[in-house]
Amino acid sequence: MLKLYGSTTSPYVRRIRIWLANTQHEFINLQVFSEQDRELLMIKNPTMKIPMLEDDVDGATQIIYDSRVIYRYLTEKFADPALTWEQENQLTLIDSANDSLVQMFILSNSDIQADEDKLFFKLQKERVNAVLVQLDAYVASGKFSSWNYPTVCLYSLIDWIEFRKLHNMQGLTNLLEFHDENSQRIEVTATDPR
């Protein structure tokens, strides 16, 4: 049986949880900052990041790291179609905004305040702004009209931004409408971190 390790609040974990909604699997909710769960991560995953997927293949345990690699593994396992290059680029945009926001969120939780004049924060905010504007335009042009993996990832990002109050979404009306339109899907409500 597939085992997905993660936390209920991670946007990277949530995208895989949503994607696996109709697939039998076990979700192991980790408290990633607790000593016991950090030890488990250290044993199973040297990156010490979530999500991580465990699968028994022909009697051997296969562990897959990183949401993007997990998705690729699942598409091969279940013979799903591969992503197009356009979809790969969409994921790169989504992941870059996610990565920047995760870094700033961790720094904030470490009592390091975002200083607009510091290069690190300036670059992260610049990236997030540029990516969200591009994603807003993509939504307006219909690029996220099908409920597929990139769409799931975009939803997980926008919902996490709203949940954690990480970015002012004012003016990004297409992204906000996209969020509202998909917020009542059963797999979305079942994985809501709130």
Side-chain angles (χ1 to χ4, degrees):
M1 175 189 280
L2 293 171
K3 290 183 183 177
L4 177 65
Y5 294 81
S7 75
T8 58
T9 56
S10 165
Y12 291 105
V13 174
R14 189 175 188 199
R15 60 173 66 170
I16 299 298
R17 290 180 69 207
I18 290 172
W19 195 249
L20 285 173
N22 296 313
T23 303
Q24 185 176 4
H25 70 284
E26 179 183 355
F27 175 60
I28 294 106
N29 185 19
L30 299 175
Q31 304 303 317
V32 293
F33 299 113
S34 78
E35 188 176 323
Q36 179 180 354
D37 287 351
R38 299 281 310 153
E39 286 177 21
L40 175 65
L41 269 178
M42 195 177 305
I43 292 166
K44 291 187 173 277
N45 183 347
T47 71
M48 297 187 65
K49 293 169 75 174
I50 52 173
M52 144 179 97
L53 184 77
E54 190 174 290
D55 191 13
D56 289 325
V57 181
D58 299 325
T61 300
Q62 177 73 50
I63 296 180
I64 310 295
Y65 317 130
D66 188 76
S67 62
R68 199 122 171 211
V69 181
I70 291 169
Y71 174 75
R72 185 170 158 234
Y73 177 82
L74 293 171
T75 60
E76 288 183 17
K77 181 177 179 72
F78 297 116
D80 292 334
L83 295 174
T84 65
W85 287 115
E86 181 180 35
Q87 290 173 319
E88 290 284 0
N89 278 336
Q90 291 167 355
L91 279 180
T92 297
L93 289 172
I94 293 164
D95 288 349
S96 68
N98 246 331
D99 290 345
S100 289
L101 289 166
V102 164
Q103 294 303 316
M104 290 191 293
F105 180 72
I106 289 171
L107 287 170
S108 174
N109 283 346
S110 301
D111 293 325
I112 298 172
Q113 296 306 312
D115 183 341
E116 301 286 330
D117 296 329
K118 299 291 183 191
L119 182 61
F120 175 83
F121 293 106
K122 190 175 183 179
L123 292 176
Q124 302 313 311
K125 289 182 178 192
E126 185 178 85
R127 174 183 295 142
V128 170
N129 286 331
V131 166
L132 291 179
V133 167
Q134 183 66 58
L135 291 171
D136 191 72
Y138 280 176
V139 169
S141 69
K143 292 185 188 276
F144 289 97
S145 57
S146 298
W147 190 247
N148 55 28
Y149 188 68
T151 306
V152 167
C153 294
L154 179 60
Y155 182 85
S156 297
L157 168 65
I158 301 307
D159 195 59
W160 187 65
I161 290 171
E162 293 288 279
F163 168 57
R164 294 292 193 188
K165 299 178 180 22
L166 297 172
H167 188 81
N168 183 348
M169 298 292 288
Q170 187 176 5
L172 299 168
T173 54
N174 298 300
L175 286 176
L176 292 171
E177 287 173 13
F178 163 85
H179 179 263
D180 288 345
E181 288 168 6
N182 290 290
S183 64
Q184 295 307 308
R185 290 178 174 273
I186 192 158
E187 63 272 34
V188 164
T189 59
T191 58
D192 191 331
R194 294 162 188 84

